[in-house]
Amino acid sequence: MQWGVRRCAGIVVVARSTSRVLLLQRSDNGRWENPGGHLEAGESFREAALRELQEETGYGGPVAVTSSSINTGHVWVRYECFVGLVGSEFEPELTEHAASGWFARDQLPSGTHPGTLRAVRWSGP
């Protein structure tokens, strides 16, 4: 890892049954975002994205990871985002966030993080 470069991964979770995406509302600033976070030692971007999904929502069911995109976004951050398909919407067990919701891609809540907006647009129609 280069000095000063943070490595992070996230996942846009899409329910196959509704085509809606899961967003989590941060407790500190109220912004809505997809699950994600920093990589742990020896972890791949994909492994980190799936771990963060489980840690932040409690979801342990099957996830079909379909694609990824690297978005540096900032000179000090390397962020890789994945699309994860789940069978249907589930009720997250929140550990780090104030709220959660399933949203149509064209009806995301106000206060959605700009990076999440880009990731949701990129993830499909």
Side-chain angles (χ1 to χ4, degrees):
M1 180 170 83
Q2 299 173 4
W3 180 85
V5 175
R6 291 185 359 212
R7 295 171 4 124
C8 303
I11 188 163
V12 176
V13 181
V14 181
R16 289 179 196 229
S17 62
T18 62
S19 296
R20 297 194 319 168
V21 298
L22 173 66
L23 296 182
L24 308 174
Q25 187 179 40
R26 292 181 59 107
S27 298
D28 58 354
N29 62 18
R31 284 197 167 180
W32 290 88
E33 62 187 12
N34 54 288
H38 294 51
L39 272 68
E40 294 181 355
E43 195 172 47
S44 72
F45 284 93
R46 179 188 164 122
E47 291 168 336
L50 291 171
R51 175 185 49 77
E52 289 289 343
L53 170 61
Q54 197 284 321
E55 286 180 2
E56 295 181 0
T57 69
Y59 182 75
V63 181
V65 178
T66 62
S67 58
S68 69
S69 171
I70 295 174
N71 174 7
T72 56
H74 187 277
V75 70
W76 301 112
V77 178
R78 178 179 175 195
Y79 180 75
E80 188 163 339
C81 190
F82 296 82
V83 176
L85 300 175
V86 297
S88 59
E89 296 178 14
F90 60 89
E91 186 66 37
E93 298 171 9
L94 301 178
T95 58
E96 302 175 20
H97 294 85
S100 66
W102 291 91
F103 301 93
R105 294 171 200 267
D106 60 350
Q107 296 177 349
L108 300 181
S110 64
T112 299
H113 189 282
T116 296
L117 290 172
R118 285 191 301 275
V120 168
R121 286 187 198 117
W122 158 79
S123 68

